[in-house]
Amino acid sequence: MQWILVVPLKTLALAKSRLSDTAADGLRPGLALAFAQDTVAAALACAEVADVAVVTGDALAGRELAALGARIVPDEPGGGLNAALRHGAGAVRMQNPRTPLAALNADLPALRPPELARVLTAAAEFPRAFLPDAAGFGTTLLAVSPGRELLPAFGTDSRARHRASGAAELLPTAVDSVRQDVDTGADLRAALALGVGPYTTSAVERLRAA
């Protein structure tokens, strides 16, 4: 079974505001783009993934991620994360109605293709399932089988909200790279300890130089 992933990415200038304690305003957009590039590159290298659709209204991000092989879906609703995911899922389902679908965070710079494959294989056992983030309160992946609605509830306490909505909680072992999203400086340090991809490595080197 191969999946199509929907990856939402907000305008880079507005992304990663919680990293203000670690990166200046001028550096955060580059970090956000680097996180997304490493996430998309790893996802496209995963054997369980057929395609990656990035939902974004940012022209630079769209160009850079399309160059990696992602499909770009314009963020026409412009109504935030969950609206972007609903729009992206609808666009994907119009062309691929029989393919399982998963929403994946764009800020997983340490993502490993084999670990993502383990999560998707586990998700295939359920009509709808999610993976909690490393902090234990959020969600990094929400997956649905063909014919099922994604019903995203990302945001504050999304782990509890996805569980309450009836999605099965996935807790496979040895998938730290799929759970380690980056919102804060502490998150970035945890991702660096796991080992990030080349785009984030370069962005962090620029950050340290600054």
Side-chain angles (χ1 to χ4, degrees):
M1 178 183 293
Q2 281 197 308
W3 297 71
I4 294 179
L5 305 186
V6 180
V7 178
L9 180 62
K10 68 168 60 175
T11 301
L12 295 176
L14 303 176
K16 296 301 159 193
S17 60
R18 291 172 61 192
L19 277 173
S20 59
D21 63 340
T22 301
D25 291 349
L27 295 174
R28 288 200 301 275
L31 277 174
L33 177 58
F35 297 163
Q37 288 171 302
D38 282 326
T39 300
V40 168
L44 286 168
C46 176
E48 303 296 319
V49 174
D51 196 8
V52 174
V54 176
V55 185
T56 187
D58 192 287
L60 173 61
R63 290 194 300 271
E64 294 296 327
L65 297 173
L68 294 178
R71 180 196 319 189
I72 305 303
V73 178
D75 185 8
E76 294 170 353
L81 178 59
N82 291 311
L85 283 170
R86 289 190 294 269
H87 174 65
V92 167
R93 280 279 166 80
M94 284 183 66
Q95 297 182 8
N96 307 90
R98 299 180 183 276
T99 302
L101 190 67
L104 183 71
N105 285 10
D107 56 353
L108 300 168
L111 186 64
R112 303 284 190 272
E115 294 185 17
L116 177 58
R118 284 199 288 276
V119 173
L120 293 172
T121 298
E125 301 296 320
F126 303 95
R128 185 165 167 267
F130 73 97
L131 184 74
D133 66 5
F137 299 102
T139 302
T140 59
L141 180 142
L142 175 66
V144 289
S145 59
R148 299 295 296 258
E149 293 294 325
L150 190 62
L151 302 177
F154 286 84
T156 304
D157 294 327
S158 65
R159 180 183 189 179
R161 287 188 286 134
H162 282 134
R163 187 192 295 141
S165 73
E169 182 170 282
L170 302 172
L171 291 172
T173 59
V175 294
D176 291 348
S177 74
V178 197
R179 299 184 65 193
Q180 187 57 66
D181 54 353
V182 176
D183 288 317
T184 67
D187 294 335
L188 179 55
R189 289 188 289 274
L192 290 170
L194 289 174
V196 297
Y199 295 99
T200 302
T201 298
S202 295
V204 170
E205 288 174 355
R206 290 193 295 273
L207 174 64
R208 288 170 173 163

